[in-house]
């Protein structure tokens, strides 16, 4: 079989293959179980293989690359327009085979196992932060039913935990044991978070890319490590604006008839990375209000004209562009000269 391009629709147990020759004619269309996938591609001559960038896609991309095939990963929503009529595994594989040959298609870089492991650490950290927030909110709401409230923020959270652990007389005995269990669970999650933070900080100290990124104001070890884990090779972006658009910090367009209409930010890309950029921007805004003499004139002028949230998103966009410039051009951050 002279197969030049293959569309591979992956799943947990059943895989669908759609292969064409150089003229576009269908050569192979078959269904494979998980145990037969590697054996099937071992018997194939090296060719172009397209896969949707979904769960286990990077693993199979590395497996097929080791066999000599050229593997390209594509976002699933870019492949969807090529699906004809009904959706099934065969139609999906055919759509992948057609989409991978498009000259304007955008591809996802194949991650190394080390990059995936670092990304997994950040995913688990995000889940632990969410669990801690949910448990604290439940504890706050429960104690508020008995007239016990505390301030917002970290100080209020510590106060609530101390009350739950000590046991307040205003709370019935039955509920005290439950609240102690919740407080113990929150403390356990906090201990795991601290251990992960130390692990991420140690990794950032030993990573040359993270060291350069940490010279940027508003970028700490968590943000630098997340950028290194999730962004991959940023040279595939033509400009800093493209990188900011990939993070989801650029306005969403709804333009037509030569009229430009810009709305809110697209919120495309990874949510945790975008959140870290915005949080870093809020930190810079807080510092600018405390020490305006050391702040950027551009930021101070923006804060006079726009609300803090709008200014934070604009500053996060600027931070993303600075990150792209440092990763592509090398060196470290140099603060602009004050006028």
């Amino acid at each position: 079989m002279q197969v030049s391009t293959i569309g591979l629709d992956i799943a947990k147990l059943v895989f669908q293959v759609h292969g064409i020759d150089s003229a576009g004619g269908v050569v192979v269309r078959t269904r494979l179980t998980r145990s037969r996938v590697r054996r099937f591609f071992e018997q194939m001559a090296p060719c172009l293989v397209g896969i949707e960038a979904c769960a286990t896609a990077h693993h199979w991309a590395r497996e097929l690359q080791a066999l000599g095939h050229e593997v390209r990963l594509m976002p699933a929503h870019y492949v969807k327009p090529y699906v004809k009529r009904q959706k099934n595994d065969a139609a999906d594989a055919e759509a992948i085979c057609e989409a991978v040959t498009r000259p304007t298609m955008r591809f996802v870089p194949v991650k190394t196992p080390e990059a995936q492991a670092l990304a997994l650490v950040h995913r688990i950290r995000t889940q632990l932060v969410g669990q801690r927030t949910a448990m604290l909110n439940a504890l706050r709401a429960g104690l508020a039913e008995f007239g016990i409230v505390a301030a917002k923020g970290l100080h209020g959270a510590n106060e609530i935990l101390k009350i739950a652990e000590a046991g307040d007389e205003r709370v019935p005995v039955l509920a005290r044991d439950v609240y102690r269990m919740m407080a113990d669970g929150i403390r356990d999650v906090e201990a795991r978070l601290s251990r992960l933070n130390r692990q991420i900080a140690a990794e950032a100290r030993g990573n040359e890319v993270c060291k350069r990124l940490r010279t940027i104001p508003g970028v700490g070890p968590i943000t630098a490590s997340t950028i290194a884990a999730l962004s991959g090779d940023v040279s595939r972006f033509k400009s800093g604006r493209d990188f900011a658009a990939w993070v989801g910090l650029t306005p969403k367009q709804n333009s037509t008839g030569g009229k430009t209409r810009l709305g809110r930010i697209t919120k495309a890309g990874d949510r945790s990375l975008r959140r870290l950029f915005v949080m870093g921007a809020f930190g810079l805004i807080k510092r600018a209000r405390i020490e305006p003499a050391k702040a950027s004139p551009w930021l101070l002028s923006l804060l006079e004209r726009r609300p803090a949230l709008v200014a934070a998103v604009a500053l996060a966009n600027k931070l993303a562009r600075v990150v792209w410039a440092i990763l592509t051009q090398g060196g470290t951050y140099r603060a602009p000269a004050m006028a």
Side-chain angles (χ1 to χ4, degrees):
M1 295 184 295
Q2 299 298 324
V3 179
S4 63
T5 306
I6 287 180
L8 178 62
D9 183 46
I10 62 176
K12 184 178 180 180
L13 299 175
V14 179
F15 297 68
Q16 184 71 33
V17 175
H18 184 93
I20 60 175
D21 55 20
S22 56
V26 179
V27 179
V28 57
R29 184 185 291 149
T30 184
R31 197 177 190 183
L32 302 173
T33 58
R34 185 182 183 89
S35 59
R36 292 176 52 200
V37 174
R38 183 177 179 86
R39 192 184 323 137
F40 174 84
F41 281 96
E42 285 177 348
Q43 300 171 357
M44 301 288 295
C47 61
L48 173 63
V49 181
I51 304 176
E52 286 184 336
C54 54
T56 71
H58 292 276
H59 164 73
W60 286 111
R62 293 192 296 266
E63 289 287 323
L64 299 184
Q65 284 179 340
L67 298 177
H69 299 283
E70 180 186 357
V71 183
R72 296 179 182 176
L73 303 182
M74 299 166 290
H77 58 277
Y78 288 168
V79 178
K80 187 177 180 180
Y82 295 93
V83 177
K84 303 180 179 68
R85 291 184 178 271
Q86 302 297 330
K87 183 192 182 305
N88 51 60
D89 292 345
D92 289 345
E94 182 181 357
I96 295 170
C97 186
E98 184 174 349
V100 75
T101 60
R102 297 300 93 196
T104 58
M105 178 57 63
R106 298 177 181 178
F107 301 103
V108 178
V110 179
K111 293 182 179 179
T112 63
E114 292 75 17
Q116 280 195 289
L118 184 57
L120 176 64
V121 171
H122 286 282
R123 292 279 186 263
I124 298 300
R125 181 186 178 276
T126 302
Q127 289 183 6
L128 290 177
V129 171
Q131 291 177 12
R132 181 183 62 178
T133 303
M135 295 173 71
L136 274 172
N137 289 340
L139 186 60
R140 283 177 180 273
L143 291 176
E145 295 296 329
F146 301 103
I148 303 173
V149 296
K152 295 181 180 179
L154 183 61
H155 177 72
N158 290 330
E159 183 181 350
I160 282 290
L161 288 174
K162 291 178 181 178
I163 294 174
E165 291 169 343
D168 195 284
E169 295 181 354
R170 290 172 289 180
V171 180
V173 177
L174 182 61
R176 292 179 198 174
D177 295 336
V178 176
Y179 290 148
R180 285 195 189 97
M181 292 172 54
M182 294 181 65
D184 292 340
I186 294 171
R187 296 294 190 191
D188 183 54
V189 171
E190 286 182 338
R192 296 180 185 179
L193 267 175
S194 299
R195 187 163 62 249
L196 276 181
N197 288 337
R198 289 194 297 268
Q199 181 179 351
I200 293 172
E203 177 69 22
R205 285 193 297 269
N207 190 314
E208 188 62 31
V209 174
C210 293
K211 289 180 181 178
R212 293 192 286 118
L213 290 177
R214 290 181 64 184
T215 61
I216 305 173
V219 176
I222 301 294
T223 305
S225 179
T226 305
I227 294 170
L230 301 180
S231 62
D233 184 13
V234 299
S235 61
R236 68 184 188 273
F237 301 106
K238 295 181 180 179
S239 64
R241 187 191 185 285
D242 289 348
F243 178 69
W246 177 76
V247 179
L249 292 170
T250 53
K252 186 175 182 179
Q253 286 199 38
N254 188 23
S255 305
T256 183
K259 296 180 180 179
T260 302
R261 296 186 179 91
L262 301 180
R264 300 183 178 183
I265 59 173
T266 62
K267 295 186 179 180
D270 189 85
R271 179 183 302 176
S272 59
L273 181 57
R274 182 172 58 255
R275 184 191 304 119
L276 289 172
F277 273 120
V278 175
M279 289 174 61
F282 270 118
L284 293 178
I285 289 176
K286 183 178 180 180
R287 188 188 308 171
R289 287 174 171 171
I290 297 174
E291 298 178 333
K294 299 181 180 180
S296 166
W298 172 84
L299 179 58
L300 294 176
S301 174
L302 184 62
L303 288 172
E304 292 177 356
R305 295 179 284 111
R306 293 289 186 269
L309 182 57
V310 176
V313 173
L315 184 56
N317 184 301
K318 194 172 184 178
L319 286 177
R321 298 181 185 222
V322 173
V323 166
W324 176 86
I326 287 180
L327 291 180
T328 55
Q329 300 175 14
T332 57
Y333 177 78
R334 298 187 303 274
M338 301 294 289

